[in-house]
Amino acid sequence: MSLKSLSFAAVLLATLCSSPALAQMGPPQPLPAEALVDPVDPAKAAWLRAHTVIDGPVSGGLTFALPDRFYRSKLILLGESHGVAAPQILDFELLRHLNDRIGLTDYVAEVDPVQGDRLNHYLETGDAAALDRVFDHWSRAGAQWGNTAFEDKMRRIRSLNQTLPAERRIRFIGIDAIQDWPLVGEWLTSQGRDVDLSSASNADKARAALAALDGLDGPAVPRLRGVLERVAQGRDRESVIFETYAQAVRSGELGGRPAYGLWGMFHAMQGPVNGAWPFAARVRESDLPTADAVATLVVLSLDSAVQIPVPTPEGVQRMRLDKFNIDGPFVMVRGASTLRAASETGRITLFDSAAPGSPLTGADFLKVQTSVGQNFDLDPGAPRVDTPSIWGSSETPTGRRRANSGPRYRPCRRSPERAAG
């Protein structure tokens, strides 16, 4: 099955559920009735059920029956649509499983190197102020991942680490472009460096930070230097992510060890999406030793809700959306009814779509129609490759808080004092 093709269903959902612009477009209109017609394919649903590889309640307690080829992967990416709680449960339990099964310790994260450094500081020391500082930025910015489900996951990772010997403990490797410039300034100040990052230009800020970084040492410094150099050169975000990952592999910081991380769905796609090359696709097309060992897991939502940040005169508010699942009324993924038929209410279920004898074709879960934004179909110019791929559903029952609310969002905290999320 073409992993390039597999990109489209997921990236559209990530776009719809991540952008405040959605709230500024006015009330969305549902798709016409004929667009919502999506007959179940009983044979494919039965095949999917027979090839379930991860399953369990949305509250946790998942079971794993992944194929052996999955564990030979060197880069494993879980693609989510930000703002749904269940993927955070899956993320932690899969991370714990990989740590136990193959000794994986490297969490390649959608955070910048300084944020990763601060998260590692929390994991090592339990310093709640360090964790709060990272999440405060996301809370102020209205980012969907600045929620209590993510924050609680960090606490669970710390608790897990405390049960593990030092060489088996999880660490974060931040490879994203700079998300929080004030935090970079604070970190440099804590290292005894004075720096002015007040410029409106990210390139200028990067050059100033690079000058202040000269002579410093530490686990995150080489990656931070690389990120700053790329930002100073005007590199786009996806290039920064890929090149920083490549730096970590080639320098030996990652080397040939397996790495795993939860990312927005676009970044996890292994082929071009509307002419753009996501992180995973760049790795597959590279000369890195990990190029032929990339695995993507994609979670699509049924009967779930998200909250998106909406700027208002009173500050960032969040709009709860429960109509943007993959089976209408505003988004329709062809094959969603078959995926629903293969799933159970209130469970996280993932299927091995690339197992031998798969009846799935390039049309399954790939044709996406929406009344908000852009429709997506397979790009005929993309390469077709076969690679480990896991598709899944996060189906949650109407009426339960976890099903309809999405993750709760935390207030900004300006002191180490704890507050309710």
Side-chain angles (χ1 to χ4, degrees), residues 162-215:
Q162 290 178 300
T163 71
L164 298 171
E167 68 274 9
R168 287 283 300 279
R169 291 173 186 163
I170 308 299
R171 63 167 182 159
F172 274 57
I173 297 181
I175 61 172
D176 207 342
I178 302 301
Q179 297 183 17
D180 187 350
W181 285 103
L183 182 59
V184 174
E186 293 167 21
W187 183 85
L188 285 168
T189 298
S190 74
Q191 304 298 310
R193 303 301 171 94
D194 293 326
V195 61
D196 179 6
L197 301 181
S198 60
S199 172
S201 163
N202 284 344
D204 288 344
K205 285 195 281 262
R207 284 187 280 270
L210 274 170
L213 193 64
D214 190 46

Side-chain angles (χ1 to χ4, degrees), residues 84-100:
V84 180
Q88 297 289 346
I89 299 294
L90 172 59
D91 181 37
F92 173 75
E93 297 204 9
L94 179 56
L95 175 63
R96 182 176 60 188
H97 174 72
L98 291 170
N99 178 268
D100 180 64

Side-chain angles (χ1 to χ4, degrees), residues 256-277:
R257 295 194 309 278
Y260 163 77
L262 173 66
W263 286 74
M265 289 183 183
F266 170 78
H267 307 290
M269 296 299 98
Q270 295 191 32
V273 177
N274 282 5
W277 283 79

Side-chain angles (χ1 to χ4, degrees), residues 1 3 6 47-48 50-53 65-69 351-360 386-391:
M1 180 178 293
L3 256 293
L6 291 177
W47 189 91
L48 286 170
H51 292 82
T52 297
V53 292
L66 291 155
D68 288 343
R69 71 182 189 281
F351 313 100
D352 184 0
S353 64
S358 174
L360 304 179
D386 292 321
T387 191
S389 170
I390 310 294
W391 280 84

Side-chain angles (χ1 to χ4, degrees), residues 164-360:
L164 298 171
E167 68 274 9
R168 287 283 300 279
R169 291 173 186 163
I170 308 299
R171 63 167 182 159
F172 274 57
I173 297 181
I175 61 172
D176 207 342
I178 302 301
Q179 297 183 17
D180 187 350
W181 285 103
L183 182 59
V184 174
E186 293 167 21
W187 183 85
L188 285 168
T189 298
S190 74
Q191 304 298 310
R193 303 301 171 94
D194 293 326
V195 61
D196 179 6
L197 301 181
S198 60
S199 172
S201 163
N202 284 344
D204 288 344
K205 285 195 281 262
R207 284 187 280 270
L210 274 170
L213 193 64
D214 190 46
L216 290 182
D217 194 15
V221 169
R223 267 182 292 110
L224 177 58
R225 181 176 291 109
V227 167
L228 292 171
E229 288 172 349
R230 292 165 193 122
V231 173
Q233 295 164 4
R235 305 288 285 164
D236 64 89
R237 183 188 175 198
E238 216 65 19
S239 295
V240 171
I241 292 169
F242 165 71
E243 290 166 15
T244 308
Y245 168 76
Q247 174 186 342
V249 171
R250 290 176 173 137
S251 69
E253 183 183 18
L254 272 176
R257 295 194 309 278
Y260 163 77
L262 173 66
W263 286 74
M265 289 183 183
F266 170 78
H267 307 290
M269 296 299 98
Q270 295 191 32
V273 177
N274 282 5
W277 283 79
F279 167 42
R282 296 179 188 222
V283 174
R284 280 199 58 89
E285 292 296 309
S286 74
D287 61 356
L288 291 172
T290 56
D292 293 329
V294 181
T296 294
L297 299 88
V298 177
V299 178
L300 305 178
S301 296
L302 293 164
D303 295 338
S304 299
V306 298
Q307 298 184 41
I308 64 167
V310 181
T312 72
E314 292 75 32
V316 175
Q317 305 295 322
R318 289 178 173 84
M319 175 184 293
R320 177 182 172 280
L321 299 173
D322 61 1
K323 304 298 184 185
F324 285 86
N325 291 289
I326 63 170
D327 56 351
F330 303 117
V331 179
M332 191 67 215
V333 175
R334 193 59 53 207
S337 296
T338 297
L339 192 62
R340 177 184 289 280
S343 307
E344 294 183 33
T345 299
R347 301 185 75 80
I348 298 170
T349 310
L350 279 82
F351 313 100
D352 184 0
S353 64
S358 174
L360 304 179

